[in-house]
Amino acid sequence: MTIEAAGLVEQFKRPDRVGHVSKVIKKKKLLRRKVRIQLKRPAINNVVSRTLQELFDSCKHVFKGPGNVPCASDVQKLCHILDGMNPEDVGLSKDLHFFKPKSEIEGTPRVTSATICKCDNFELCIFFLPANAVIPLHNHPQMTVFSKLLLGTMHIKAYDWIDSSRSDQLMSHSKLGLAKLKADTTFTAPCDTSVLYPTSGGNIHQFTAITPCAVLDVIGPPYSKDDGRDCSYYRESETPCDVLLDNEELTKVKDLGGCYRWLEEIEIPKESEMDGIEYMGPQITNSTS
């Protein structure tokens, strides 16, 4: 998989993302492979994107560590910055070969990721999805995530568990969890930033690239297996909602309205394997002031 531009990009290793499950599921390490994917390097060394720098500086104030969800005004602030971002702010261009609709990818489309920066409280990263590539249904435990589609057209399907007290009870039924559909929509860049929260906003989602795409994610705090923020994967069950619910539970679900599906936690899907690359776009400066 190749994106035309200047400079060779070397392998960038990201932590494995595996699931914490309510039943025993075998764990497999995600395999990383070296790839040749090239981003647009700034014409002058150490060029700084003013918008990217503003995003980074704001994230340092907004994300205060695990257990803290950004307040409404902080969410609005980050969304305002992200909504104003262009592909060029991270060294990308729609003219790169990767983003041409007719560009062909050999074999199974694989997702590639590049980390702009990462600390204990937040992470900025870009995901590159060739046409037809999929980031399978997965969760974001105790995390708030801002997603900005920079280039391309993508379908997003997202769910939230029903309220925690009820989901804890329902998870005992055949190891399934009942979730409410929050989004089943196709987006084309430029579009508004989407936000998910620890228990709302479509915390469990799936990305499917209709055309080659680039997505900028702001994740706070980042995934961390050691801190209980491991990534879990799911599939939609064909089990009808009313089969595993008693009359009282079914009535409550109907009263809530909307569309519901049972989700089953699964082993790491093959399509979740990603290639990692070094970020080659405009740099940020980390001021301690």
Side-chain angles (χ1 to χ4, degrees), residues 116-154:
I116 300 174
C117 67
K118 183 177 181 179
C119 63
D120 290 341
N121 290 349
F122 67 91
E123 177 181 7
L124 307 182
C125 59
I126 308 171
F127 295 97
F128 301 93
L129 291 81
N132 301 316
V134 177
I135 299 180
L137 205 61
H138 63 283
N139 70 343
H140 307 79
Q142 308 168 45
M143 300 155 70
T144 303
V145 181
F146 298 74
S147 295
K148 170 64 176 178
L149 182 62
L150 295 170
L151 289 163
T153 297
M154 172 184 291

Side-chain angles (χ1 to χ4, degrees), residues 106-219:
E106 296 182 1
T108 303
R110 290 173 65 98
V111 179
T112 300
S113 64
T115 297
I116 300 174
C117 67
K118 183 177 181 179
C119 63
D120 290 341
N121 290 349
F122 67 91
E123 177 181 7
L124 307 182
C125 59
I126 308 171
F127 295 97
F128 301 93
L129 291 81
N132 301 316
V134 177
I135 299 180
L137 205 61
H138 63 283
N139 70 343
H140 307 79
Q142 308 168 45
M143 300 155 70
T144 303
V145 181
F146 298 74
S147 295
K148 170 64 176 178
L149 182 62
L150 295 170
L151 289 163
T153 297
M154 172 184 291
H155 182 265
I156 299 178
K157 195 168 193 178
Y159 290 91
D160 280 325
W161 299 120
I162 59 174
D163 66 75
S164 56
S165 60
R166 190 176 298 127
S167 62
D168 289 341
Q169 297 172 353
L170 297 179
M171 284 298 288
S172 63
H173 294 297
S174 303
K175 306 302 181 181
L176 299 174
L178 190 62
K180 182 176 182 179
L181 182 67
K182 302 297 291 188
D184 190 6
T185 310
T186 298
F187 298 87
T188 299
C191 57
D192 291 341
T193 302
S194 61
V195 187
L196 63 82
Y197 301 91
T199 59
S200 63
N203 184 276
I204 305 165
H205 68 196
Q206 174 175 293
F207 289 171
T208 303
I210 307 302
T211 67
C213 296
V215 184
L216 172 62
D217 265 11
V218 178
I219 306 171

Side-chain angles (χ1 to χ4, degrees), residues 7-72:
L8 174 65
V9 179
E10 299 177 352
Q11 182 183 28
F12 186 93
K13 294 183 179 180
R14 292 170 55 86
D16 292 341
R17 296 180 177 179
V18 294
H20 174 74
V21 297
S22 57
K23 60 179 179 179
V24 177
I25 293 178
K26 294 180 180 179
K27 307 295 184 180
K28 298 186 295 182
K29 290 185 177 180
L30 293 184
L31 300 177
R32 305 293 180 186
R33 61 177 182 173
K34 291 184 177 180
V35 294
R36 296 174 65 88
I37 181 172
Q38 297 168 340
L39 308 184
K40 184 178 180 182
R41 184 189 293 276
I44 303 175
N45 289 337
N46 299 324
V47 166
V48 174
S49 163
R50 185 174 300 176
T51 308
L52 181 61
Q53 184 66 48
E54 182 185 8
L55 175 64
F56 173 76
D57 292 338
S58 296
C59 285
K60 289 197 298 181
H61 295 286
V62 168
F63 294 106
K64 299 176 174 61
N68 292 281
V69 177
C71 65

